[in-house]
């Protein structure tokens, strides 16, 4: 199994802390004020709501803002299990983007998108979804099934244009289709084994 590597400037550690912070803020119902200058709101608003995208409708051309908007729709519709896959995919993709767009802002986007998404739904459904997500991912078979789905769909096939406001000149310097970087992302975010053969 691959050993998790560190993106530049300690990004993996920051992302791990950020995901916990995002969950805490979202579950508490914390609201970003206008002065907080939260770009995640603009990213989410820039894409059409795809509805609760489930199963085979999820593709590797969907950006994290698209996936997170679909997640919010699933939570509102109380389709929590569909939301778990979207949560895992969106987080893995935004982690991958934070690796290939090597900036502090890109790493922060990983947590901002999740927090903004979850605070857009009511507290009762938000907490119910989080309970299902934690139970699914804590279960060995449930976690394995999610990892297999993520690996079967594959690494992102889009350019991270939604992060263009953060990508200063020369920031996109890493290979955009690097397989090792993708393995780092899914191992770092979802703790998925990366030495498993996936049959498509």
């Amino acid at each position: 199994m691959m050993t998790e590597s560190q993106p530049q400037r300690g990004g993996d550690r920051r992302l791990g802390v950020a995901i916990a912070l995002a969950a805490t803020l979202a579950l508490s119902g914390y609201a970003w004020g206008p002065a907080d200058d939260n770009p995640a709101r603009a990213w989410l608003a820039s894409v059409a709501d795809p509805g609760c995208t489930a199963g085979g409708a999820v593709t590797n051309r969907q950006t994290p803002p698209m996936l997170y908007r679909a997640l919010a729709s699933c939570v509102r519709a109380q389709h929590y299990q569909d939301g778990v896959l979207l949560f895992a995919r969106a987080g893995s993709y935004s982690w991958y983007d934070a690796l290939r767009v090597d900036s502090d802002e890109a790493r922060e986007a990983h947590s901002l998108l999740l927090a903004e998404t979850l605070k857009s739904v009511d507290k009762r459904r938000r907490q119910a979804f989080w309970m299902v997500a934690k139970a699914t991912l804590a279960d060995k078979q449930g976690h394995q099934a999610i990892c297999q789905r993520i690996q079967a769909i594959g690494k992102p096939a889009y350019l991270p244009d939604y992060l263009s406001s953060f990508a200063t000149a020369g920031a996109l310097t890493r290979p955009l289709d690097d397989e090792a970087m993708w393995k780092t992302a899914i191992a770092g975010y979802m703790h998925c084994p990366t030495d498993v053969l996936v049959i498509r």
Side-chain angles (χ1 to χ4, degrees), residues 116-170:
E116 185 68 21
T117 296
L118 291 183
K119 85 175 187 66
S120 72
V121 300
D122 67 86
K123 183 177 180 180
R124 180 180 64 82
R125 288 182 174 88
R126 186 166 63 233
Q127 291 179 331
F129 163 72
W130 209 248
M131 289 180 64
V132 172
K134 289 193 294 184
T136 299
L137 298 176
D139 176 73
K140 183 177 180 179
Q141 290 185 334
H143 178 261
Q144 183 180 34
I146 292 293
C147 286
Q148 288 176 342
R149 293 289 299 281
I150 292 174
Q151 291 170 320
I153 295 168
K155 63 180 180 289
Y158 58 81
L159 292 176
D161 293 338
Y162 71 100
L163 291 173
S164 60
S165 61
F166 290 101
T168 56

Side-chain angles (χ1 to χ4, degrees), residues 47-148:
V47 298
D49 185 353
C52 182
T53 307
V58 180
T59 75
N60 65 348
R61 295 189 178 278
Q62 293 168 309
T63 64
M66 294 176 185
L67 293 168
Y68 276 123
R69 289 211 65 174
L71 167 60
S73 292
C74 286
V75 174
R76 292 190 191 100
Q78 301 181 69
H79 296 164
Y80 301 130
Q81 201 61 55
D82 290 330
V84 174
L85 175 61
L86 290 164
F87 164 79
R89 287 289 312 294
S92 297
Y93 276 20
S94 62
W95 187 302
Y96 180 76
D97 289 344
L99 291 172
R100 59 178 173 165
V101 182
D102 187 26
S103 69
D104 289 339
E105 293 88 349
R107 284 182 280 273
E108 290 168 2
H110 173 77
S111 59
L112 292 179
L113 280 166
L114 174 61
E116 185 68 21
T117 296
L118 291 183
K119 85 175 187 66
S120 72
V121 300
D122 67 86
K123 183 177 180 180
R124 180 180 64 82
R125 288 182 174 88
R126 186 166 63 233
Q127 291 179 331
F129 163 72
W130 209 248
M131 289 180 64
V132 172
K134 289 193 294 184
T136 299
L137 298 176
D139 176 73
K140 183 177 180 179
Q141 290 185 334
H143 178 261
Q144 183 180 34
I146 292 293
C147 286
Q148 288 176 342

